[in-house]
């Protein structure tokens, strides 16, 4: 499996970091999560939900590209995203699949570390990327729920992936 970091093209003259058509940017985790600190506490849930949505939508474009470029026998896109997360500084991810249940543990989440003590989950971008990758991998809508977070005192962040409820 190719390392994600080896696919990145760094163009110092143009000031860009890209992986194919996707442009990336390096930013301090505390600066990014400081955006949420600047909001009134009542406004944060909507902002975190928007962050999760944006990562699911736009990060999902990359996940779809990775899925389409896989070769026979390659891991599914959820496994590829989990393996690539540490190379982006998104912590160390482990995926536990037990039948229909899918649990993901994230150690050293930059989002939890960047936010600090929140008393609740703050890892919306992880949830968004998990949602996108799992939906592609399983060919059906999936939702990621953050069940515990290091920003709320847990040792690590833990997510659960479940199918989108039928309507």
């Amino acid at each position: 499996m190719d390392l994600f970091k080896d696919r990145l093209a760094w163009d110092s003259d143009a000031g860009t970091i890209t992986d194919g058509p996707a442009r990336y940017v390096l930013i301090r985790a505390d600066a990014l999560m400081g955006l949420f600190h600047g909001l009134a506490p009542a406004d944060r849930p909507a902002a975190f939900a928007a962050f999760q949505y944006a990562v699911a939508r736009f990060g999902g474009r990359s996940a779809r590209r990775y899925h389409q470029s896989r070769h026979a026998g390659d891991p599914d896109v959820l496994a590829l995203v989990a393996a690539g997360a540490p190379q982006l500084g998104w912590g160390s991810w482990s995926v536990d699949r037990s039948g229909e249940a899918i649990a993901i543990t994230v150690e050293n989440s930059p989002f939890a570390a960047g936010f600090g003590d929140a008393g609740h989950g703050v890892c919306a971008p992880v949830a968004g990327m998990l949602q996108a990758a799992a939906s592609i991998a399983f060919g059906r809508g999936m939702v990621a729920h953050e069940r515990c977070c290091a920003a709320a005192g847990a040792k690590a962040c833990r997510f659960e992936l479940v199918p989108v409820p039928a309507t």
Side-chain angles (χ1 to χ4, degrees):
M1 175 170 43
D2 291 340
L3 293 178
F4 177 80
K5 65 183 179 116
D6 293 339
R7 290 197 322 263
L8 293 176
W10 297 69
D11 185 337
S12 296
D13 292 334
T16 61
I17 304 167
T18 56
D19 172 24
R23 185 170 177 183
Y24 286 80
V25 62
L26 293 176
I27 187 169
R28 286 177 54 124
D30 54 356
L32 174 64
M33 298 309 287
L35 173 136
F36 297 95
H37 275 285
L39 297 173
D43 295 333
R44 292 177 187 163
F48 281 123
F51 200 5
Q52 180 172 341
Y53 166 80
V55 172
R57 180 175 177 197
F58 298 106
R61 290 180 183 172
S62 292
R64 187 162 311 290
R65 208 173 69 246
Y66 306 149
H67 175 73
Q68 292 168 342
S69 67
R70 290 173 40 246
H71 297 69
D74 283 352
D76 67 38
V77 71
L78 179 58
L80 291 172
V81 166
Q87 298 169 46
L88 280 175
W90 282 44
S92 177
W93 296 16
S94 59
V95 179
D96 179 23
R97 299 178 192 194
S98 300
E100 289 288 314
I102 304 167
I104 297 87
T105 301
V106 176
E107 295 185 40
N108 300 314
S109 166
F111 309 105
F115 192 95
D117 184 21
H120 56 78
V122 299
C123 298
V126 173
M129 198 64 218
L130 287 170
Q131 181 175 310
S135 295
I136 294 164
F138 300 114
R140 62 182 178 182
M142 300 291 284
V143 178
H145 298 287
E146 188 170 12
R147 296 300 184 200
C148 60
C149 184
K155 182 178 183 277
C157 303
R158 189 154 174 90
F159 298 82
E160 176 186 38
L161 284 166
V162 297
V164 170
T167 56

